[in-house]
Amino acid sequence: MATFVWPTILVLNAVIIILVAIFVIWRVQKEKKAGYPMKDERTSKIQGKAALGTYYITLAFMVSISMWNIFGNEFLTFLPELETGWTVIAIMLVMGFSFGLLSWYYAKKGEF
């Protein structure tokens, strides 16, 4: 990772964030003009269940990472040590994907 030029990456990240923000704002405005409500009871319930499931999945993932570090450093010396940056990225990916998948699952499931 030392070969990357950080100012270029930071500019690329800023451009991506701005493009995503423009898309989200455009979509919200489009749905408002179409007359769709921003949230209803079903959507709130789906997001609540998905958030709770995401919390438990992320908690289990972080506990497993902690156990990996504890057992890897104390008992099993052949396990590789985890770097903090990659661990944080993995946790963020698990959170994002689990919320997206659980939201999709509960939306497709129907009444629950």
Side-chain angles (χ1 to χ4, degrees):
M1 260 177 88
T3 60
F4 289 127
V5 179
W6 283 107
T8 306
I9 292 175
L10 293 176
V11 169
L12 182 63
N13 284 340
V15 169
I16 291 172
I17 289 171
I18 290 170
L19 289 176
V20 168
I22 289 171
F23 174 74
V24 168
I25 291 170
W26 171 76
R27 187 171 166 196
V28 167
Q29 292 299 325
K30 182 180 165 188
E31 289 180 359
K32 277 185 182 178
K33 286 182 183 177
Y36 295 120
M38 293 306 291
K39 272 193 175 181
D40 59 353
E41 294 173 5
R42 184 174 186 274
T43 307
S44 296
K45 193 172 184 179
I46 288 170
Q47 287 183 345
K49 285 188 71 118
L52 185 63
T54 300
Y55 171 75
Y56 288 131
I57 290 169
T58 305
L59 183 66
F61 184 69
M62 289 191 306
V63 167
S64 67
I65 288 174
S66 297
M67 291 295 123
W68 177 281
N69 280 333
I70 290 170
F71 288 112
N73 291 335
E74 298 296 326
F75 303 112
L76 306 172
T77 57
F78 60 88
L79 290 178
E81 201 169 311
L82 299 175
E83 293 182 24
T84 306
W86 293 112
T87 305
V88 170
I89 290 171
I91 291 170
M92 289 189 309
L93 287 173
V94 166
M95 287 176 69
F97 284 129
S98 64
F99 184 76
L101 289 174
L102 288 174
S103 295
W104 174 78
Y105 172 73
Y106 289 133
K108 294 289 182 191
K109 187 176 177 183
E111 287 299 317
F112 45 89

